[in-house]
Amino acid sequence: MGLLLVLRPPQPRPKSLRRATRVQRRDHRRANVEEWGTAEQRGWLLGVKVEELLPLVNGAGRSRLPILGQFDPWSDTVLDRRDLPQLGADIDRLEAVAGDDAQRELVVALRKLLTSWRAEPDLMLHCYGD
């Protein structure tokens, strides 16, 4: 169980592919695979295990983290650029309480994702719970 954080362009409202032809469904899946592969190559994709993130968020005071404290590993969220400053502050709080190497590595990975986001103004941060 975890969260998948990925920088993506704003997505149109999802359309149902139930009535799509087999070729249309195959093309849609192929495009998704290519997009996720590109995101991974560019460092725009971060998989976070809940059992690693939760103790860190709780240690920083879940209620004091307006963005990270509200993440739900069972639902999806989309953040836009207005959330960047507050998300940066949340990560600063996580950094202050990171107690072991795994937690510090997670904070570094989150900060790297934020840096990539700042460099790509047209992207949004999509958070997918699984």
Side-chain angles (χ1 to χ4, degrees):
M1 193 58 77
L3 286 171
L4 186 64
L5 307 175
V6 63
L7 294 173
R8 302 177 77 186
Q11 300 296 299
R13 291 188 56 95
K15 294 180 183 173
S16 174
L17 292 179
R18 280 186 309 211
R19 296 179 186 260
T21 67
R22 186 172 291 146
V23 172
Q24 287 171 320
R25 286 192 301 266
R26 186 182 63 228
D27 290 345
H28 181 75
R29 282 192 298 272
R30 185 178 300 132
N32 280 345
V33 167
E34 290 172 6
E35 179 185 356
W36 290 92
T38 301
E40 192 168 24
Q41 288 172 349
R42 293 181 177 172
W44 295 352
L45 181 71
L46 177 63
V48 180
K49 294 180 183 174
V50 171
E51 50 277 356
E52 291 176 8
L53 181 62
L54 216 50
L56 193 55
V57 168
N58 288 337
R62 176 178 292 277
S63 62
R64 292 184 2 211
L65 301 173
I67 295 181
L68 290 176
Q70 305 308 312
F71 276 173
D72 181 354
W74 297 276
S75 64
D76 300 339
T77 303
V78 178
L79 302 176
D80 64 27
R81 297 194 66 76
R82 293 174 298 197
D83 298 312
L84 262 169
Q86 189 58 58
L87 188 56
D90 284 5
I91 292 173
D92 290 343
R93 287 188 185 102
L94 293 183
E95 186 173 39
V97 299
D100 61 28
D101 289 340
Q103 289 179 341
R104 285 188 282 278
E105 287 175 17
L106 177 56
V107 169
V108 167
L110 288 167
R111 203 171 289 288
K112 182 178 175 186
L113 187 64
L114 231 58
T115 300
S116 296
W117 192 13
R118 284 186 179 106
E120 297 291 338
D122 296 334
L123 301 180
M124 298 178 84
L125 182 60
H126 295 255
C127 312
Y128 301 103
D130 64 357

